[in-house]
Amino acid sequence: MNGMDILMAVIGSVLVMLFGIFFGLVFKGIDRVLSARMQARIGPRVRQPFWDVGKLFSKENIIPENAVKWMFSSAPVLGLASSAVMLLYLPLGPLAPVLQGHGDIILMLYLLVIPSLAMVTGGFASGSPYAAVGAQREMVMMMSYEFPLAAVVVSIAWKLNVFGIANPFSITSIASNPIWMNSGILGIIGSAILLVVLIIVTPAELSKIPFDAPEAETEIVGGLLAEYSGRNLGIFYLADAVKTIVMGALLVAIFFPWGIAGIVGLAAGSVGAIAADIAFFLLKLFLVLFVSVTVIRTSFARLKIDQIVYTYWAPLTIAALFGLVLIIWDLNLLGIEWYPQVLGGW
Amino acid sequence: MDASLTLETGSGFWTPVLLLLGLVVCIVLVLIIRAFGEKSYKRGTEQTKPFLSGNAEGNKDAMHVRAGNIYWGFLEALKGYYTPTVGAHTGDVTDYLIWYIGVMAVVLGILLVGVLL
């Protein structure tokens, strides 16, 4: 590793983090407008989240007298920084990850826990009963959605491994070999089930309705964020925006990694092709987030914490494992003569 | 970049040094962003009291939510599993030995059937 590599990694990290913050806030604005329209309201303007952050940063940064002050103040910083770090391992359309080849999707599973743990730490450090209840719920929720999430990841890596793809847990390998490829009808159905599972895991990762029991404004007045205000709350707001982009980019990398430049006849590697692919990536990103965040949070009411646990441990885990079983059957049947003729052709 | 810094885990891999470098860069950037925000607040005033929906704060020691409640949602959702499991923990060593011998008998039976077949 030379100095130039390190310098490029540092510059790349800064740019990617600013990308995540900007487009995370843009999506929040779009999400609020679309959710409002689905409820026959006008809603705010798309730029409202930027104004919200500006206003939070101009308000007093109150630290409660019961709080563990250093922990209370450092939790938002860790939350935003750890959310941004995950973007360094994800391909952003045609742009390779900043830390490509230096971390796989297992690392991503671990990193996904850190922003939630930062919120839990901040909640417990608040010295408030509401925040403590919210932090406890967040911990329980983390234990719940990890199982189906891990089942999805293992299923995908297993398939790549069967096909002899090097580094099956590498996100770049996963994005280069979409799970839909080399599949018969059972494999397509199995992959679609895994997609649905990951779409339902996403709102829990982001603490969105119906999985927002840790915050639950109408019940525990914001839960683990109850005592936060000013710039600390603003930083948590930005962390949520960045993590939203992380989850969207992960969904796109696993299930919809294709570009559009080749289809419209742009020369590979040209500026036009890169611009088209970035625009297409953002379109895919906002579409998967629209389904997994906006539609779900607008369509459902909040679940109780025990209902959340049951949802992830029973139906979703079984669904993820069933998706894996279908993919295994599909690969076994592909070797039999009649299967590709009767049910294949995909 | 130097591949020797990358740790192999069989199927997986990661480079802790670069992870830490990325994290440090992001933390520095967050601190810069944070520095643009208002730092002050009125210490020792009403605004630093915990928000309790208008209720007066009681004894601080009594206001904590006990750690024993942490897993309530988890235990409630999976009580179909936990209730009989907890019931099986009688605290009687004789019961545990019966479980131990019973499970051993089942495992040996399965092995025996496997060998005979």
Side-chain angles (χ1 to χ4, degrees):
Chain A
M1 185 191 309
N2 59 40
M4 184 56 74
D5 287 334
I6 293 175
L7 182 63
M8 293 305 290
V10 170
I11 293 172
S13 303
V14 172
L15 292 177
V16 165
M17 184 169 169
L18 295 177
F19 171 93
I21 289 174
F22 178 78
F23 284 105
L25 291 178
V26 169
F27 174 73
K28 270 179 174 284
I30 294 172
D31 167 62
R32 288 171 66 176
V33 171
L34 293 178
S35 179
R37 298 297 161 89
M38 284 191 270
Q39 295 170 335
R41 295 185 289 113
I42 295 173
R45 296 184 177 181
V46 172
R47 63 173 182 265
Q48 184 64 39
F50 291 91
W51 289 80
D52 290 346
V53 172
K55 188 160 187 176
L56 285 172
F57 272 61
S58 68
K59 293 286 186 183
E60 288 176 306
N61 184 47
I62 301 166
I63 299 177
E65 62 185 21
N66 292 348
V68 182
K69 293 180 176 52
W70 69 270
M71 205 181 279
F72 181 82
S73 297
S74 56
V77 176
L78 181 63
L80 176 52
S82 57
S83 298
V85 162
M86 286 186 280
L87 273 181
L88 306 182
Y89 292 96
L90 288 168
L92 302 173
L95 307 175
V98 172
L99 297 179
Q100 183 175 23
H102 293 288
D104 56 14
I105 200 162
I106 300 292
L107 177 66
M108 182 64 70
L109 290 185
Y110 282 102
L111 291 178
L112 275 170
V113 175
I114 298 180
S116 301
L117 277 181
M119 292 185 76
V120 168
T121 307
F124 280 130
S126 298
S128 153
Y130 288 132
V133 171
Q136 291 176 352
R137 290 182 180 183
E138 179 72 28
M139 282 183 63
V140 168
M141 208 163 73
M142 279 162 49
M143 291 162 58
S144 307
Y145 61 67
E146 289 296 327
F147 199 171
L149 180 61
V152 171
V153 168
V154 168
S155 305
I156 293 160
W158 179 85
K159 182 172 178 181
L160 294 191
N161 191 47
V162 167
F163 280 99
I165 306 293
N167 297 324
F169 283 103
S170 159
I171 298 171
T172 308
S173 297
I174 291 171
S176 307
N177 302 278
I179 190 166
W180 313 98
M181 308 292 276
N182 299 314
S183 294
I185 183 73
L186 291 181
I188 296 288
I189 294 171
S191 303
I193 290 172
L194 296 182
L195 170 62
V196 171
V197 169
L198 195 50
I199 281 177
I200 300 175
V201 165
T202 298
E205 282 278 4
L206 303 172
S207 286
K208 303 291 184 198
I209 296 171
F211 306 110
D212 70 330
E215 294 173 21
E217 288 84 356
T218 50
E219 182 192 347
I220 50 173
V221 295
L224 32 67
L225 297 177
E227 294 296 333
Y228 276 98
S229 59
R231 64 179 183 175
N232 278 339
L233 186 57
I235 295 288
F236 265 136
Y237 191 85
L238 293 178
D240 179 49
V242 174
K243 198 175 176 187
T244 304
I245 296 299
V246 167
M247 288 307 297
L250 187 63
L251 264 162
V252 168
I254 294 174
F255 291 100
F256 309 107
W258 304 283
I260 198 173
I263 298 170
V264 296
L266 293 169
S270 65
V271 175
I274 293 172
D277 277 341
I278 290 178
F280 188 55
F281 167 74
L282 289 172
L283 178 67
K284 290 186 293 182
L285 186 75
F286 285 173
L287 278 176
V288 295
L289 288 174
F290 170 70
V291 174
S292 59
V293 175
T294 312
V295 172
I296 292 180
R297 85 177 180 87
T298 309
S299 308
F300 295 94
R302 179 184 307 124
L303 295 174
K304 295 194 295 180
I305 187 66
D306 57 314
Q307 293 171 326
I308 293 174
V309 173
Y310 181 79
T311 301
Y312 283 107
W313 271 77
L316 274 187
T317 298
I318 292 169
L321 294 176
F322 183 60
L324 172 61
V325 167
L326 286 181
I327 290 174
I328 292 171
W329 281 348
D330 185 64
L331 292 180
N332 288 334
L333 289 172
L334 280 175
I336 300 172
E337 191 179 346
W338 59 266
Y339 178 69
Q341 293 170 356
V342 176
L343 296 172
W346 292 78
Chain B
M1 296 191 185
D2 192 348
S4 65
L5 292 173
T6 303
L7 300 179
E8 304 283 343
T9 60
S11 299
F13 57 90
W14 68 305
T15 313
V17 174
L18 287 180
L19 171 63
L20 286 176
L21 175 68
L23 188 62
V24 168
V25 170
C26 291
I27 286 175
V28 169
L29 196 55
V30 174
L31 290 175
I32 292 171
I33 293 170
R34 189 171 180 270
F36 285 101
E38 175 64 44
K39 302 174 184 62
S40 66
Y41 67 101
K42 301 179 189 71
R43 293 165 198 269
T45 63
E46 195 66 23
Q47 69 173 197
T48 61
K49 303 273 186 217
F51 178 74
L52 297 169
S53 305
N55 298 305
E57 185 184 15
N59 182 332
K60 286 191 188 301
D61 291 335
M63 295 301 292
H64 286 294
V65 179
R66 293 164 61 108
N69 297 311
I70 285 182
Y71 299 113
W72 178 84
F74 201 77
L75 298 174
E76 178 69 15
L78 303 179
K79 61 185 174 190
Y81 165 76
Y82 279 111
T83 304
T85 311
V86 170
H89 287 74
T90 59
D92 187 341
V93 179
T94 309
D95 289 342
Y96 296 157
L97 276 174
I98 291 171
W99 274 107
Y100 182 68
I101 293 168
V103 171
M104 265 188 50
V106 171
V107 171
L108 285 174
I110 292 170
L111 289 176
L112 197 62
V113 170
V115 169
L116 289 176
L117 292 178

